[in-house]
Amino acid sequence: MAVDIEDLLSRMSWEQKLGQLQIVWRKDPAEQRALVKGGLGAVFWPPSAAATNELQRIAVEETELGIPLLIALDVVHGQFTIFPTPLAQAASFDPEVARSDARASAEEARAAGVNWTFSPMVDVTRDPRWGRVVEGFGEDVFLASGLAAAKVAGYQGSGLAEETTVASCLKHFVAYGAAEAGRDYNTTDISERRLRETYLETFRVGVEQGAASVMAAFNSLNGRPMHANRRLLTGVLKEEWGFDGLVVGDADGVAQLVDHGVAADEREAIRLAIEAGVDVVMGGTLLVDAEGTPLLSPGELSQERVDDAVRRVLRLKERLGLFDRPFVDESREATAATAERRATARGAAERCIVLLKNDPGRGRERLPLPPRGRILLAGPYARSLDHLGAWVQRFATPVAAGLADALAAELPGVDWDVAEGADFFDPSEEAVAEAVERAREADLVVLAVGEPSRISGEASSRSDIALPGAQSRLIQAVAATGVPVVVVLVTGRPLVVEDWIDRVDSVLCTWHLGLEAPAAIAAALSGRVNPGGRVPMTFPRAVGQIPIYHDHERTGRPPQLDGMVLPDEQAEFAGPNNTFDYYTSKFIDLPLGPRFDFGHGLSYTTFELSDLTVSPDRLREQDDGAGTAEVSVTVRNTGTVDGDDVVLLFVTDAVASVAQPVRRLRGYRRVALPAGGSARLSFTLAVDDLCFWADGTHRITEPGEFSITVSDGASTVSHPLFLA
Ligand code: GLC
């Protein structure tokens, strides 16, 4: 039965309207119940079907209008079954991985009474000092947009009224990932052109996908805090893009307008935020207290704006089917991971692993591990269960056994020796010395190290993104024994690895892979799974290089590797081959470029790209998008084992009225190929793919020559394309 929203709105009092525009979380269930009885329209709720049904019953049966509740929770990469973190999912270069997480999360969450998740986080970021990179899809706006759309589709399914869907929430609008110095909640100041090209785009794509809500960001942007940014919240999001969902403030984000210094007190902050386009205030002083007393009087807020906000809330509740079915079937509630969802999470985890290094420098590649021999497994992640990553609720199903157990099961013929080797944080050397002694008795050492999830995520910016504690020392000391070393790097972000990377033979980056992490990592180490992930966010050589990202501009003095040979007295500043132009954009104390570039990733096999065609290789601007070019390439598995390759399509605009990036990602495909097998991949390029923002208002194309480059990190082929 469709509800007549206009009729309902016309019958609502001022207090009842304000009650719909607030979400709070309260530890005391009795207080939560009292607020709902007083007219609160949305709550945060740790999922329990019985508890949410009780709140819904109060809302529906004990209030005058019986309007059901929105019940929200941060289900970011899993509810009970924890999937790899979103940054890990981006490393899969497979939107299906993101979608499968969202589907499983929605099923688990809705069955527990949650109908609104504060996910996906779609903030593009180029600064791994920012702890929240773990929650997003990395540095590339094209990759992040595709994954954002996949998550929205996964959460929302074919309709929000289905019992297995939840309303999604694109966050944090906007440019939160551009915080100066990577310091969380810090100032952002960005040109309109870059705002359009990089930071708004993932939200535009998510809105186009039908995202039900958007969350305002904590940061100020060009001096205007986002919670009071009418031009973007209303002007761009609601008017220009036609977004008809609701905008929710972030936790106390409205109240923090006082801290930003743009509101004298919280009443003014609330007025500013709602007038700017925030529809639902999260936290802060209650708009309506448990006695139903409103904080603001009708004269303090535009009635029209309040009615619009209430309409958006009621519309979402109707889309969710809550007026017809406010209660969930408690018999369907899952309270832990099921075997089926574990299998899905395992498959996702396996696809996120990136083989960063597998150097045959000392005779042979050390991965996959041999099935026999004596192997020392050391480092805090040898036994740690901390693989779930940031943004996991206390009721998530815990990891039952660590990597040591998983490897013993995966490679039973190996004579395993397991040592701590180093703590996550303790810089002491005792455990290192112990591990070094035991390394001398081993044929090979696996060092499982990394960044524990408690220093990843919100409010976890790090000024130094090396391995914490004595873990680097552990690697250096074990490597100094001369025993071959394989590193398993468990992390929420790209790390600086310079003080050990050249001393080890192989490195597997596993991110925080979630519930099935140890088994997935063990399978990748044994070779049963051939790693196919790729780096979704550049690994810098030093914090001083940040921001560093693949689609940077050329600059007027691009560094060249084949430049002049430096005079001897400056040779110490030379690049890897002691030859680069001195007066170019570089650091004189670092080799050129990042440690690992966007898209980097190795395999246990090899691939080759060939036969790139672009047909037609001339497009006409006035084709108005009707004109497309088919880009085709053959990829062959030239090795001896099956494996996945990730093929990336880049466009380079040689000359334009605005300085262009050296390349822009415009397509990607992950393809599984048997040893010796090949496939012909095709991408469709439209004129729209050649567009760029000339400033903050004009998105244009310009005729000229473009270079189409297809690369899988190992091989690269290019072809010109002309736009007339
Ligand atoms: C946090 C985060 C936001 C989250 C919200 C509710 O501060 O910024 O991403 O959804 O609070 O938990």
Side-chain angles (χ1 to χ4, degrees):
M1 171 198 76
V3 67
D4 182 339
I5 287 174
E6 290 310 316
D7 167 61
L8 178 53
L9 187 61
S10 69
R11 290 184 285 119
M12 291 174 76
S13 67
W14 174 251
E15 296 74 10
Q16 288 165 337
K17 289 179 180 177
L18 286 191
Q20 293 298 313
L21 306 187
Q22 169 105 49
I23 182 168
V24 290
W25 63 97
R26 288 291 186 274
K27 287 192 174 39
D28 173 3
E31 190 185 356
Q32 192 94 333
R33 285 195 292 271
L35 289 171
V36 169
K37 190 167 171 53
L40 189 65
V43 294
F44 255 87
W45 192 256
S48 141
T52 49
N53 278 343
E54 171 56 14
L55 284 173
Q56 288 289 17
R57 188 195 58 72
I58 295 169
V60 168
E61 297 172 4
E62 297 185 19
T63 64
E64 181 199 349
L65 295 171
I67 299 173
L69 293 167
L70 289 173
I71 296 180
L73 192 66
D74 290 284
V75 186
V76 177
H77 54 109
Q79 171 101 342
F80 302 106
T81 309
I82 301 302
F83 279 69
T85 61
L87 186 63
Q89 293 179 25
S92 74
F93 279 77
D94 178 1
E96 180 53 28
V97 165
R99 205 196 60 78
S100 68
D101 155 27
R103 286 299 314 126
S105 299
E107 289 165 4
E108 291 186 341
R110 192 72 183 262
V114 171
N115 49 48
W116 184 20
T117 178
F118 294 141
S119 180
M121 194 267 229
V122 300
D123 300 309
V124 170
T125 179
R126 295 143 161 191
D127 192 330
R129 291 172 295 184
W130 190 47
R132 300 198 77 164
V133 300
V134 68
E135 286 177 70
F137 299 118
E139 72 186 48
D140 186 83
V141 60
F142 186 87
L143 176 64
S145 297
L147 293 165
K151 287 275 278 213
V152 169
Y155 285 132
Q156 301 192 173
S158 55
L160 287 179
E162 282 176 37
E163 293 295 293
T164 56
T165 65
V166 289
S168 66
C169 182
L170 302 169
K171 69 186 188 182
H172 307 78
F173 189 79
V174 68
Y176 183 24
E180 289 179 354
R183 180 158 53 88
D184 208 350
Y185 317 121
N186 201 9
T187 305
T188 63
D189 206 286
I190 302 167
S191 72
E192 284 298 308
R193 182 172 72 90
R194 180 156 290 196
L195 189 63
R196 287 281 184 176
E197 200 75 71
T198 303
Y199 296 101
L200 281 169
E201 183 60 8
T202 51
F203 290 89
R204 190 194 63 76
V205 170
V207 165
E208 201 171 63
Q209 181 67 36
S213 65
V214 170
M215 181 182 289
F218 285 126
N219 54 285
S220 73
L221 173 64
N222 302 342
R224 192 77 188 155
M226 279 313 304
H227 278 71
N229 199 315
R230 190 180 194 291
R231 183 176 71 83
L232 291 172
L233 286 174
T234 299
V236 172
L237 177 61
K238 294 182 177 178
E239 293 173 354
E240 181 183 327
W241 293 350
F243 176 62
D244 65 357
L246 68 84
V247 173
V248 61
D250 201 339
D252 297 331
V254 171
Q256 286 155 12
L257 292 176
V258 178
D259 303 278
H260 276 290
V262 298
D265 57 33
E266 198 171 344
R267 297 168 71 92
E268 183 182 1
I270 293 167
R271 282 199 302 274
L272 276 176
I274 292 178
E275 297 296 348
V278 170
D279 299 305
V280 176
V281 177
M282 185 192 298
T285 303
L286 291 168
L287 297 184
V288 177
D289 66 18
E291 288 65 49
T293 311
L295 179 68
L296 301 173
S297 63
E300 293 183 83
L301 277 171
S302 144
Q303 286 281 353
E304 186 186 353
R305 176 71 267 276
V306 167
D307 285 355
D308 172 58
V310 174
R311 263 190 208 96
R312 291 169 184 268
V313 172
L314 297 180
R315 253 200 318 258
L316 178 54
K317 293 182 175 183
E318 190 204 18
R319 283 180 64 195
L320 284 162
L322 297 178
F323 286 98
D324 293 335
R325 290 187 318 285
F327 307 109
V328 290
D329 174 353
E330 293 175 28
S331 69
R332 291 182 56 248
E333 183 180 16
T335 55
T338 62
E340 182 192 354
R341 293 194 187 113
R342 275 183 180 273
T344 306
R346 166 85 70 89
E350 291 170 355
R351 294 178 74 76
C352 300
I353 296 173
V354 183
L355 180 58
L356 291 177
K357 179 179 182 181
N358 200 20
D359 184 355
R362 285 192 281 203
R364 59 179 291 272
E365 294 174 343
R366 296 300 171 183
L367 284 178
L369 294 176
R372 268 169 299 287
R374 181 166 176 75
I375 299 180
L376 170 68
L377 171 64
Y381 268 107
R383 296 193 187 286
S384 169
L385 304 182
D386 176 17
H387 289 276
L388 299 186
W391 275 112
V392 167
Q393 304 294 348
R394 55 179 166 67
F395 42 73
T397 302
V399 173
L403 183 57
D405 297 314
L407 279 170
E410 180 72 27
L411 292 168
V414 167
D415 172 12
W416 289 101
D417 179 15
V418 181
E420 177 73 24
D423 174 70
F424 281 127
F425 299 107
D426 178 354
S428 70
E429 298 283 316
E430 287 73 30
V432 171
E434 157 83 12
V436 168
E437 279 319 300
R438 289 161 72 166
R440 297 188 199 286
E441 309 305 315
D443 303 318
L444 179 143
V445 180
V446 175
L447 295 177
V449 296
E451 181 185 62
S453 54
R454 62 182 178 281
I455 58 171
S456 169
E458 184 171 357
S460 302
S461 295
R462 294 175 65 203
S463 64
D464 171 2
I465 53 174
L467 283 169
Q471 297 182 84
S472 294
R473 275 286 305 125
L474 169 69
I475 298 171
Q476 291 165 350
V478 168
T481 65
V483 178
V485 174
V486 168
V487 170
V488 174
L489 191 60
V490 183
T491 180
R493 72 181 90 198
L495 297 175
V496 169
V497 298
E498 295 309 290
D499 55 5
W500 53 266
I501 189 78
D502 291 330
R503 308 180 196 209
V504 301
D505 299 80
S506 305
V507 182
L508 205 62
C509 178
T510 75
W511 316 103
H512 288 129
L513 287 178
L515 179 58
E516 293 294 311
I521 298 168
L525 287 170
S526 75
R528 188 159 56 82
V529 165
N530 185 354
R534 295 291 188 273
V535 167
M537 184 173 184
T538 300
F539 278 63
R541 292 179 184 278
V543 166
Q545 279 186 309
I546 297 169
I548 181 169
Y549 46 97
H550 79 98
D551 50 349
H552 56 81
E553 291 176 10
R554 208 169 291 128
T555 79
R557 291 196 169 199
Q560 311 295 334
L561 268 181
D562 53 2
M564 67 182 185
V565 177
L566 291 180
D568 287 348
E569 64 273 17
Q570 291 172 337
E572 65 178 302
F573 297 138
N577 313 311
N578 183 26
T579 58
F580 58 68
D581 287 342
Y582 192 77
Y583 296 97
T584 56
S585 180
K586 64 180 180 305
F587 291 94
I588 61 171
D589 55 355
L590 280 179
L592 296 183
R595 166 53 68 174
F596 296 117
D597 203 348
F598 173 85
H600 170 77
L602 305 177
S603 171
Y604 294 147
T605 186
T606 50
F607 298 96
E608 182 184 71
L609 299 179
S610 61
D611 302 330
L612 173 65
T613 60
V614 177
S615 172
D617 61 7
R618 302 186 77 80
L619 288 177
R620 295 184 322 141
E621 201 176 355
Q622 60 275 21
D623 281 352
D624 191 23
T628 60
E630 205 65 27
V631 179
S632 301
V633 68
T634 297
V635 50
R636 179 179 307 282
N637 179 340
T638 52
T640 57
V641 295
D642 300 354
D644 287 10
D645 200 12
V646 175
V647 177
L648 305 177
L649 168 65
F650 298 101
V651 170
T652 298
D653 188 347
V655 179
S657 58
V658 173
Q660 292 298 301
V662 293
R663 64 185 192 178
R664 284 187 291 164
L665 184 68
R666 284 295 175 267
Y668 57 89
R669 193 80 45 75
R670 179 167 178 156
V671 58
L673 288 172
S678 66
R680 183 85 176 145
L681 304 182
S682 285
F683 302 85
T684 300
L685 264 187
V687 171
D688 190 67
D689 291 315
L690 308 178
C691 282
F692 60 87
W693 284 89
D695 49 34
T697 49
H698 301 89
R699 186 168 183 269
I700 62 173
T701 49
E702 290 174 345
E705 178 176 347
F706 293 79
S707 173
I708 308 304
T709 300
V710 177
S711 172
D712 65 357
S715 58
T716 296
V717 288
S718 293
H719 193 291
L721 170 68
F722 297 91
L723 180 64

